[in-house]
Amino acid sequence: MSRESLALPGVFIRQAFLKWTAYRTAFWVDVFSRLLQIYVMYTVWSLLYKEKPSAFGALSFEQVFGYAVVGILLGAILSLDEGPHIRIAERVRTGMIAVELMKPISFVRLVALESFGDLAIRVALYAAIPYLFALIVFRIPVPQTPGQAALFLTSLVLSTVVQFFAHFLFGLISFYTLDLVGFQFAYWAMVRFFSGQWIPIYMYPEALKPFLYALPFQAMFATPQSIYVGQLHGWAATMAILIQGIWALVLGGAALWAWRRLQRHVVIQGG
Protein backbone atom coordinates (compact mmCIF):
# COMPACT_ATOMS: atom_id res chain seq x y z
CA MET A 1 0.00 0.00 0.00
CA SER A 2 1.42 3.38 -1.06
CA ARG A 3 2.07 6.28 1.27
CA GLU A 4 -0.59 8.30 -0.60
CA SER A 5 -3.20 5.61 0.08
CA LEU A 6 -2.37 5.61 3.78
CA ALA A 7 -2.71 9.40 3.93
CA LEU A 8 -6.11 9.53 2.21
CA PRO A 9 -8.28 8.86 5.31
CA GLY A 10 -6.55 11.70 7.16
CA VAL A 11 -7.26 14.08 4.28
CA PHE A 12 -10.98 13.26 4.32
CA ILE A 13 -11.13 13.54 8.12
CA ARG A 14 -9.62 17.03 7.89
CA GLN A 15 -12.11 18.01 5.17
CA ALA A 16 -14.99 16.73 7.30
CA PHE A 17 -13.71 18.64 10.34
CA LEU A 18 -13.55 21.89 8.37
CA LYS A 19 -17.04 21.29 6.98
CA TRP A 20 -18.72 20.45 10.29
CA THR A 21 -17.02 23.24 12.27
CA ALA A 22 -17.43 25.99 9.67
CA TYR A 23 -20.71 27.13 11.23
CA ARG A 24 -20.17 27.04 14.99
CA THR A 25 -23.67 28.17 15.90
CA ALA A 26 -25.21 25.35 13.86
CA PHE A 27 -22.81 22.90 15.51
CA TRP A 28 -23.77 23.90 19.04
CA VAL A 29 -27.47 23.93 18.15
CA ASP A 30 -27.09 20.36 16.89
CA VAL A 31 -25.28 19.30 20.07
CA PHE A 32 -27.91 20.99 22.23
CA SER A 33 -30.67 19.19 20.31
CA ARG A 34 -29.03 15.85 21.21
CA LEU A 35 -28.92 16.83 24.87
CA LEU A 36 -32.58 17.80 24.69
CA GLN A 37 -33.44 14.47 23.06
CA ILE A 38 -31.70 12.65 25.91
CA TYR A 39 -33.70 14.62 28.49
CA VAL A 40 -36.97 13.97 26.65
CA MET A 41 -36.17 10.26 26.40
CA TYR A 42 -35.45 10.15 30.12
CA THR A 43 -38.80 11.77 30.89
CA VAL A 44 -40.79 9.54 28.52
CA TRP A 45 -39.17 6.23 29.44
CA SER A 46 -39.25 6.93 33.18
CA LEU A 47 -43.02 7.51 32.98
CA LEU A 48 -43.57 4.40 30.88
CA TYR A 49 -41.39 2.28 33.15
CA LYS A 50 -43.25 3.43 36.26
CA GLU A 51 -46.60 2.63 34.64
CA LYS A 52 -45.77 -0.89 33.50
CA PRO A 53 -42.27 -2.17 34.33
CA SER A 54 -43.26 -5.73 33.35
CA ALA A 55 -43.45 -4.66 29.71
CA PHE A 56 -39.67 -4.19 29.68
CA GLY A 57 -38.87 -7.76 30.64
CA ALA A 58 -35.68 -8.33 32.61
CA LEU A 59 -34.19 -4.95 31.73
CA SER A 60 -33.88 -2.35 34.46
CA PHE A 61 -34.86 1.26 33.85
CA GLU A 62 -31.17 2.18 33.59
CA GLN A 63 -30.72 -0.38 30.81
CA VAL A 64 -33.87 0.77 28.99
CA PHE A 65 -32.80 4.39 29.18
CA GLY A 66 -29.23 3.46 28.20
CA TYR A 67 -30.64 1.69 25.12
CA ALA A 68 -32.49 4.88 24.15
CA VAL A 69 -29.42 7.08 24.69
CA VAL A 70 -27.21 4.83 22.56
CA GLY A 71 -29.90 5.01 19.87
CA ILE A 72 -29.74 8.80 19.95
CA LEU A 73 -25.93 8.76 19.75
CA LEU A 74 -25.94 6.26 16.89
CA GLY A 75 -28.43 8.51 15.14
CA ALA A 76 -25.94 11.36 15.49
CA ILE A 77 -23.09 9.22 14.17
CA LEU A 78 -24.95 7.33 11.44
CA SER A 79 -27.05 10.25 10.26
CA LEU A 80 -29.77 9.63 7.70
CA ASP A 81 -29.55 13.29 6.66
CA GLU A 82 -25.95 12.86 5.50
CA GLY A 83 -24.22 9.97 3.84
CA PRO A 84 -23.53 8.22 0.56
CA HIS A 85 -27.15 8.50 -0.62
CA ILE A 86 -27.06 12.30 -0.34
CA ARG A 87 -23.67 12.52 -2.05
CA ILE A 88 -24.73 10.29 -4.93
CA ALA A 89 -28.01 12.15 -5.49
CA GLU A 90 -26.25 15.53 -5.43
CA ARG A 91 -23.67 14.45 -7.99
CA VAL A 92 -26.26 12.90 -10.27
CA ARG A 93 -28.51 15.99 -10.10
CA THR A 94 -25.67 18.43 -10.87
CA GLY A 95 -23.94 16.25 -13.44
CA MET A 96 -20.74 16.06 -11.35
CA ILE A 97 -21.03 12.28 -11.44
CA ALA A 98 -19.45 12.38 -14.91
CA VAL A 99 -16.40 14.15 -13.47
CA GLU A 100 -16.18 11.69 -10.57
CA LEU A 101 -16.11 8.76 -12.99
CA MET A 102 -13.01 10.18 -14.68
CA LYS A 103 -11.00 10.40 -11.45
CA PRO A 104 -8.24 7.84 -10.82
CA ILE A 105 -9.96 6.70 -7.62
CA SER A 106 -13.04 4.47 -7.83
CA PHE A 107 -16.30 6.23 -7.05
CA VAL A 108 -17.31 3.69 -4.42
CA ARG A 109 -14.00 4.17 -2.60
CA LEU A 110 -14.30 7.95 -2.86
CA VAL A 111 -17.76 7.95 -1.27
CA ALA A 112 -16.58 5.49 1.39
CA LEU A 113 -13.64 7.75 2.34
CA GLU A 114 -15.90 10.80 2.50
CA SER A 115 -18.31 8.89 4.72
CA PHE A 116 -15.42 7.69 6.92
CA GLY A 117 -14.25 11.30 7.40
CA ASP A 118 -17.76 12.38 8.41
CA LEU A 119 -18.07 9.39 10.74
CA ALA A 120 -14.82 10.18 12.55
CA ILE A 121 -15.82 13.80 13.16
CA ARG A 122 -19.35 12.88 14.23
CA VAL A 123 -17.98 10.43 16.79
CA ALA A 124 -15.50 12.99 18.14
CA LEU A 125 -17.88 15.97 18.22
CA TYR A 126 -21.54 15.08 17.89
CA ALA A 127 -21.55 11.89 19.98
CA ALA A 128 -18.82 12.39 22.59
CA ILE A 129 -20.37 15.48 24.23
CA PRO A 130 -23.91 14.03 24.60
CA TYR A 131 -22.45 10.73 25.80
CA LEU A 132 -20.47 12.44 28.56
CA PHE A 133 -23.59 14.42 29.45
CA ALA A 134 -25.64 11.21 29.77
CA LEU A 135 -22.91 9.55 31.84
CA ILE A 136 -22.50 12.43 34.28
CA VAL A 137 -26.08 13.67 34.60
CA PHE A 138 -28.15 10.49 34.15
CA ARG A 139 -25.51 7.87 34.99
CA ILE A 140 -26.37 5.59 32.10
CA PRO A 141 -24.83 2.12 32.30
CA VAL A 142 -21.57 1.24 30.60
CA PRO A 143 -20.38 -2.17 29.37
CA GLN A 144 -19.66 -4.25 32.46
CA THR A 145 -16.72 -6.24 31.13
CA PRO A 146 -13.94 -5.74 28.56
CA GLY A 147 -15.53 -8.57 26.56
CA GLN A 148 -18.86 -6.76 26.40
CA ALA A 149 -17.12 -3.55 25.36
CA ALA A 150 -15.22 -5.41 22.62
CA LEU A 151 -18.44 -6.99 21.33
CA PHE A 152 -20.14 -3.59 21.29
CA LEU A 153 -17.30 -1.93 19.37
CA THR A 154 -17.23 -4.81 16.87
CA SER A 155 -20.98 -4.53 16.41
CA LEU A 156 -20.70 -0.74 16.04
CA VAL A 157 -18.14 -1.09 13.24
CA LEU A 158 -20.32 -3.61 11.41
CA SER A 159 -23.39 -1.41 11.85
CA THR A 160 -21.58 1.44 10.07
CA VAL A 161 -20.67 -0.91 7.20
CA VAL A 162 -24.23 -2.22 6.89
CA GLN A 163 -25.64 1.29 6.96
CA PHE A 164 -23.11 2.58 4.42
CA PHE A 165 -24.02 -0.05 1.84
CA ALA A 166 -27.76 0.27 2.54
CA HIS A 167 -27.53 4.04 2.02
CA PHE A 168 -25.37 3.55 -1.07
CA LEU A 169 -27.98 1.25 -2.61
CA PHE A 170 -30.72 3.73 -1.75
CA GLY A 171 -28.73 6.54 -3.34
CA LEU A 172 -28.51 4.64 -6.64
CA ILE A 173 -32.24 5.27 -7.10
CA SER A 174 -31.29 8.80 -8.12
CA PHE A 175 -29.79 7.43 -11.35
CA TYR A 176 -33.36 6.82 -12.47
CA THR A 177 -35.25 9.56 -10.61
CA LEU A 178 -32.48 12.24 -10.68
CA ASP A 179 -33.30 13.04 -7.04
CA LEU A 180 -34.32 11.41 -3.77
CA VAL A 181 -36.95 13.97 -2.81
CA GLY A 182 -40.13 12.07 -2.04
CA PHE A 183 -38.19 8.87 -1.31
CA GLN A 184 -35.99 10.07 1.51
CA PHE A 185 -38.71 10.56 4.11
CA ALA A 186 -40.15 7.11 3.38
CA TYR A 187 -36.69 5.58 3.71
CA TRP A 188 -36.03 7.55 6.92
CA ALA A 189 -39.30 6.34 8.47
CA MET A 190 -38.65 2.74 7.40
CA VAL A 191 -35.16 2.67 8.95
CA ARG A 192 -36.33 4.28 12.18
CA PHE A 193 -39.27 1.89 12.61
CA PHE A 194 -37.72 -1.39 11.49
CA SER A 195 -34.28 -0.89 13.08
CA GLY A 196 -35.41 -0.78 16.72
CA GLN A 197 -33.54 2.48 17.26
CA TRP A 198 -36.15 4.03 19.54
CA ILE A 199 -38.07 0.98 20.79
CA PRO A 200 -36.35 -2.39 21.44
CA ILE A 201 -37.47 -4.99 18.93
CA TYR A 202 -38.40 -7.45 21.67
CA MET A 203 -41.21 -5.02 22.64
CA TYR A 204 -42.83 -5.19 19.19
CA PRO A 205 -45.85 -7.49 18.59
CA GLU A 206 -44.88 -11.15 18.31
CA ALA A 207 -46.30 -11.43 14.80
CA LEU A 208 -44.02 -8.62 13.62
CA LYS A 209 -40.74 -9.80 15.15
CA PRO A 210 -39.81 -12.48 12.54
CA PHE A 211 -40.31 -9.89 9.80
CA LEU A 212 -38.09 -7.34 11.57
CA TYR A 213 -35.33 -9.88 12.24
CA ALA A 214 -35.38 -10.90 8.57
CA LEU A 215 -34.53 -7.34 7.46
CA PRO A 216 -31.08 -5.70 7.59
CA PHE A 217 -32.29 -2.67 9.54
CA GLN A 218 -31.93 -4.27 12.97
CA ALA A 219 -28.23 -4.79 12.15
CA MET A 220 -27.86 -1.00 11.97
CA PHE A 221 -29.12 -0.03 15.41
CA ALA A 222 -30.77 -2.72 17.55
CA THR A 223 -27.78 -5.07 17.66
CA PRO A 224 -25.13 -2.63 18.99
CA GLN A 225 -27.69 -1.02 21.31
CA SER A 226 -28.73 -4.39 22.75
CA ILE A 227 -25.12 -5.46 23.26
CA TYR A 228 -24.23 -2.17 24.97
CA VAL A 229 -26.91 -2.55 27.67
CA GLY A 230 -26.31 -6.29 28.10
CA GLN A 231 -29.59 -7.50 26.62
CA LEU A 232 -27.51 -9.49 24.15
CA HIS A 233 -24.46 -11.18 25.66
CA GLY A 234 -22.33 -14.25 25.25
CA TRP A 235 -23.29 -16.58 22.41
CA ALA A 236 -26.41 -14.53 21.54
CA ALA A 237 -24.27 -11.42 21.02
CA THR A 238 -21.78 -13.38 18.94
CA MET A 239 -24.56 -14.73 16.70
CA ALA A 240 -26.04 -11.24 16.31
CA ILE A 241 -22.63 -9.92 15.22
CA LEU A 242 -22.29 -12.82 12.78
CA ILE A 243 -25.65 -11.84 11.27
CA GLN A 244 -24.39 -8.27 10.95
CA GLY A 245 -21.35 -9.56 9.09
CA ILE A 246 -23.55 -11.55 6.71
CA TRP A 247 -25.68 -8.49 6.00
CA ALA A 248 -22.54 -6.42 5.39
CA LEU A 249 -21.37 -8.93 2.78
CA VAL A 250 -24.80 -9.25 1.15
CA LEU A 251 -25.42 -5.50 0.94
CA GLY A 252 -21.83 -4.80 -0.08
CA GLY A 253 -22.03 -7.31 -2.91
CA ALA A 254 -25.41 -5.94 -4.02
CA ALA A 255 -24.10 -2.36 -3.95
CA LEU A 256 -21.02 -3.16 -6.04
CA TRP A 257 -23.06 -5.21 -8.52
CA ALA A 258 -25.71 -2.47 -8.88
CA TRP A 259 -23.06 0.23 -9.25
CA ARG A 260 -21.33 -1.59 -12.10
CA ARG A 261 -24.64 -1.86 -13.95
CA LEU A 262 -25.82 1.69 -13.29
CA GLN A 263 -22.68 3.44 -14.53
CA ARG A 264 -24.20 3.14 -18.00
CA HIS A 265 -27.26 5.20 -16.94
CA VAL A 266 -25.58 8.51 -16.15
CA VAL A 267 -27.71 11.53 -17.09
CA ILE A 268 -25.98 14.91 -17.01
CA GLN A 269 -28.10 17.93 -16.01
CA GLY A 270 -27.33 21.58 -16.70
CA GLY A 271 -24.97 23.22 -19.13
Side-chain angles (χ1 to χ4, degrees), residues 74-75 78 163 191-192 195 197 217-225:
L74 288 182
L78 308 173
Q163 190 157 149
V191 172
R192 298 297 191 200
S195 68
Q197 180 184 5
F217 301 113
Q218 46 87 23
M220 298 178 184
F221 288 98
T223 299
Q225 288 175 247

Side-chain angles (χ1 to χ4, degrees), residues 23-242:
Y23 302 97
R24 296 182 181 180
T25 301
F27 164 75
W28 285 112
V29 168
D30 197 306
V31 171
F32 177 76
S33 71
R34 306 294 174 186
L35 304 182
L36 184 61
Q37 286 180 44
I38 291 173
Y39 174 75
V40 170
M41 280 292 180
Y42 176 82
T43 303
V44 170
W45 284 113
S46 60
L47 290 174
L48 293 174
Y49 197 87
K50 289 177 182 178
E51 286 291 326
K52 195 174 183 181
S54 60
F56 297 89
L59 292 184
S60 65
F61 170 73
E62 289 73 18
Q63 288 175 304
V64 172
F65 178 57
Y67 182 99
V69 169
V70 174
I72 292 172
L73 299 180
L74 288 182
I77 297 171
L78 308 173
S79 174
L80 291 173
D81 300 323
E82 295 284 341
H85 54 304
I86 302 299
R87 293 186 174 90
I88 293 171
E90 178 69 20
R91 281 157 170 152
V92 170
R93 186 176 65 253
T94 60
M96 284 299 296
I97 187 67
V99 177
E100 303 291 0
L101 292 176
M102 291 187 290
K103 291 182 178 179
I105 184 173
S106 73
F107 181 67
V108 177
R109 188 185 180 199
L110 174 64
V111 174
L113 285 169
E114 290 175 339
S115 299
F116 171 76
D118 277 351
L119 175 66
I121 297 304
R122 283 182 170 276
V123 169
L125 300 179
Y126 288 87
I129 297 174
Y131 182 64
L132 291 174
F133 171 79
L135 281 176
I136 296 170
V137 177
F138 296 106
R139 300 183 183 277
I140 63 169
V142 297
Q144 297 300 303
T145 65
Q148 183 184 354
L151 287 172
F152 169 69
L153 291 176
T154 302
S155 179
L156 182 59
V157 170
L158 287 172
S159 72
T160 63
V161 176
V162 170
Q163 190 157 149
F164 171 79
F165 285 122
H167 288 359
F168 190 93
L169 279 168
F170 174 61
L172 294 182
I173 295 175
S174 61
F175 275 79
Y176 293 101
T177 64
L178 304 184
D179 209 330
L180 295 178
V181 176
F183 295 94
Q184 192 170 349
F185 180 77
Y187 180 69
W188 181 90
M190 185 169 58
V191 172
R192 298 297 191 200
F193 180 78
F194 292 137
S195 68
Q197 180 184 5
W198 303 124
I199 302 175
I201 291 180
Y202 76 88
M203 295 181 64
Y204 281 73
E206 290 296 330
L208 193 58
K209 290 179 184 178
F211 175 70
L212 296 180
Y213 283 119
L215 296 174
F217 301 113
Q218 46 87 23
M220 298 178 184
F221 288 98
T223 299
Q225 288 175 247
S226 299
I227 292 175
Y228 181 89
V229 299
Q231 182 193 0
L232 286 177
H233 53 84
W235 180 246
T238 302
M239 286 300 299
I241 290 175
L242 179 61

